[in-house]
């Protein structure tokens, strides 16, 4: 019997390596550069099921180390569950404000940091750290690769949502254990992202936190090194 790799079903199926057309490439970069963390511009109209399925499928096609696909997507539409999660945010947000220097606390409190109840759909993205088994190809020496892979799924979802005209807001000012209790998520599963999703009135031209003076984008040339840490090497 031939080795499994020689069987027809295991032969590599290849697609072209040619670059995208100019229009296709522009669309990809447009999604990247115009993606925003949406907090308060959600419209109440429902997200169509076919659109929701497309962005979830895009997330499911994210890269994952060892092809472990550790993610799950918990879609939350129930108003009461969203209200409970919003309460968890509100309590955590009070604590968070007190952690900043006093001269920034008022600015922090003035920021709109979530759209949990106003967004028609919430999606909790989780990571099942047991899915790949006790030994995972590619994660033998970097065991957090399952978490990093799940974040790639979040990014895929976010870019697909932007292409669909949907806003996404990542709410991270939450106590994980409390959210997991509300949603019935097993203790062994990590909550990676709690996302608010829906149509929006408009997208900010530049990041909202930048427009409101919280932070500015770091120049790329300060972040690219060549061959050795600290040696600046931005491509010419």
């Amino acid at each position: 019997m031939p080795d499994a790799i020689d069987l027809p079903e295991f032969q590599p199926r290849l697609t072209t390596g040619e670059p995208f057309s100019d229009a296709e490439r522009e669309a990809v970069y447009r999604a990247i550069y115009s993606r925003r963390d949406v907090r308060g511009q959600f419209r109440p109209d429902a997200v169509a099921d076919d659109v929701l399925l497309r962005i979830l499928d895009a997330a499911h096609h994210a890269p994952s180390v060892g092809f472990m696909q550790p993610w799950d997507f918990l879609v939350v539409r129930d108003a009461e569950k969203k209200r409970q999660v919003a309460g968890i945010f509100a309590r955590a947000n009070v604590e968070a404000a007190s952690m900043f220097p006093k001269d920034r606390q008022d600015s922090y409190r003035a920021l709109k940091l979530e759209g949990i109840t106003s967004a028609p759909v919430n999606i909790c993205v989780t990571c099942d750290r047991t899915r790949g088994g006790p030994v995972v190809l590619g994660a033998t020496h970097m065991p957090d690769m399952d978490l990093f892979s799940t974040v790639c799924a979040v990014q895929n979802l976010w870019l697909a949502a932007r292409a669909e005209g949907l806003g996404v807001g990542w709410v991270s000012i939450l106590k994980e254990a409390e959210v997991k209790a509300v949603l019935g998520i097993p203790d062994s599963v990590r909550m990676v992202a709690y996302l608010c999703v829906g149509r929006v009135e408009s997208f900010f031209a530049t990041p909202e936190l930048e427009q409101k003076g919280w932070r500015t984008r770091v120049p790329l040339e300060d972040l690219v090194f060549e061959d050795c840490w600290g040696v600046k090497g931005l491509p010419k």
Side-chain angles (χ1 to χ4, degrees), residues 125-148:
V125 185
T126 62
C127 176
D128 183 346
R129 309 207 70 180
T130 68
R131 183 161 297 162
V135 180
V136 176
L137 188 156
T140 52
H141 292 76
M142 296 184 68
D144 289 339
M145 294 308 297
D146 55 349
L147 297 171
F148 303 155

Side-chain angles (χ1 to χ4, degrees), residues 23-90:
E24 291 167 335
R25 184 177 64 246
E26 175 62 27
V28 172
Y29 283 109
R30 181 185 174 195
I32 292 169
Y33 292 133
S34 65
R35 179 213 57 80
R36 293 290 174 261
D37 191 0
V38 175
R39 294 118 188 275
Q41 300 87 38
F42 289 109
R43 288 163 31 187
D45 34 318
V47 177
D49 284 346
D50 61 328
V51 175
L52 183 58
L53 182 60
R54 284 199 294 270
I55 68 172
L56 290 172
D57 195 44
H60 184 44
H61 280 76
S64 63
V65 171
F67 203 41
M68 68 178 88
Q69 304 159 76
W71 44 69
D72 287 284
F73 308 98
L74 201 166
V75 178
V76 182
R77 293 190 179 96
D78 181 77
E80 176 57 22
K81 289 189 181 298
K82 289 195 288 184
R83 187 192 65 77
Q84 291 181 51
V85 175
I88 295 169
F89 165 83

Side-chain angles (χ1 to χ4, degrees), residues 35-38 153-162 168-170:
R35 179 213 57 80
R36 293 290 174 261
D37 191 0
V38 175
V154 174
Q155 178 77 339
N156 267 23
L157 185 152
W158 215 329
L159 294 176
R162 180 62 189 89
V168 176
W170 186 334

Side-chain angles (χ1 to χ4, degrees), residues 87-109:
I88 295 169
F89 165 83
R91 293 188 293 274
N93 198 42
V94 171
E95 295 179 359
S98 67
M99 297 176 185
F100 289 93
K102 289 189 179 299
D103 61 348
R104 302 213 80 185
Q105 289 182 13
D106 287 344
S107 296
Y108 176 88
R109 293 187 182 98

